[in-house]
Amino acid sequence: MFPRRLDRARNDIYYPTTYLGSGTGQLVNMKKRILFFVLCLFLAIPAAHGVEPAYELGFSPKGESLQVTLHGIADAKESILVAAYSFTSKPVSEALLAAHRRGVKVAVVADQKGNSGRYTAVNFLANHKVPVRLNDRYAILHHKFMVIDGTAVQLGSFNYSASAVDKNAENVLLLKDVPGIAAQYAAEWKRLWDEGVDVRANY
């Protein structure tokens, strides 16, 4: 915002006095004006194009994390790409199955160690013909995100598990109308998927 110099003797950054006017008060007022202008500009651009920032945000425990996740799944029309660590949530797995049955392309890649040796949502979905792969290339695959219709991304610390809903302090953010961000998450999902091994249906 202003030219800066490094005082190598003290190893800190300061503004030249020529920008301070008669005192630091002028600098503070100038910074406030610039900040206010930038804020107004940021708010005006979406309004000028008729677009409101679109997102949903939730927290746990006992909050809206699960509802935000389910909203994203329910709104899907074409595809849902899921990357998961611990995947034991019955509501999330049933919502994904419902999306699959209404014609949405659903595919899941999950952590191998976190979803082996027990019956999880991974097995439930694979048994219902939803494509699922397990990835064992890392100490843990700790991702928890969904790419929805190539334009929305659900992300955050929220595991798809009962503990994440009722016991843990978690967050989830559903970003809508962000195709650029969605494309980057989809590329990461594809990389993990290509490394994975198919989960076969048990019946």
Side-chain angles (χ1 to χ4, degrees):
M1 183 164 55
F2 297 103
R4 298 183 296 177
R5 290 192 298 163
L6 178 66
D7 185 339
R8 299 187 184 279
R10 295 187 302 157
N11 197 33
D12 61 4
I13 295 174
Y14 66 96
Y15 294 100
T17 55
T18 53
Y19 285 87
L20 295 180
S22 59
T24 57
Q26 292 185 10
L27 176 61
V28 171
N29 288 335
M30 183 182 298
K31 291 172 71 175
K32 286 182 177 179
R33 293 191 192 100
I34 293 173
L35 180 60
F36 179 75
F37 173 77
V38 171
L39 179 61
C40 290
L41 185 62
F42 175 77
L43 294 175
I45 290 174
H49 291 81
V51 177
E52 292 294 332
Y55 68 90
E56 293 184 47
L57 176 63
F59 299 96
S60 292
K62 307 297 184 181
E64 300 297 324
S65 291
L66 178 60
Q67 285 70 29
V68 171
T69 302
L70 296 178
H71 289 167
I73 297 171
D75 288 344
K77 296 176 176 60
E78 297 178 2
S79 62
I80 306 174
L81 307 178
V82 183
Y85 171 50
S86 176
F87 193 3
T88 59
S89 171
K90 183 176 180 180
V92 172
S93 59
E94 288 183 339
L96 289 171
L97 178 58
H100 169 73
R101 286 175 169 169
R102 68 174 184 266
V104 175
K105 176 187 174 184
V106 178
V108 179
V109 59
D111 180 66
Q112 192 272 338
K113 290 180 287 295
N115 295 278
S116 297
R118 55 180 177 152
Y119 188 85
T120 70
V122 163
N123 308 104
F124 171 79
L125 290 171
N127 286 340
H128 287 87
K129 313 303 181 187
V130 175
V132 179
R133 288 185 179 181
L134 294 179
N135 185 313
D136 66 352
R137 298 292 186 92
Y138 310 95
I140 55 173
L141 190 161
H142 210 231
H143 282 308
K144 308 104 175 178
F145 69 80
M146 299 184 189
V147 182
I148 302 167
D149 291 343
T151 61
V153 180
Q154 178 267 303
L155 66 157
S157 69
F158 183 70
N159 277 311
Y160 308 125
S161 68
S163 293
V165 176
D166 298 325
K167 298 178 180 179
N168 301 343
E170 307 277 6
N171 69 85
V172 62
L173 177 63
L174 176 61
L175 298 173
K176 303 177 183 180
D177 302 317
V178 288
I181 296 174
Q184 294 181 66
Y185 270 90
E188 172 66 2
W189 183 90
K190 177 69 163 51
R191 186 184 68 80
L192 297 169
W193 176 264
D194 289 344
E195 294 174 343
V197 176
D198 290 332
V199 177
R200 303 297 182 185
N202 292 328
Y203 58 82

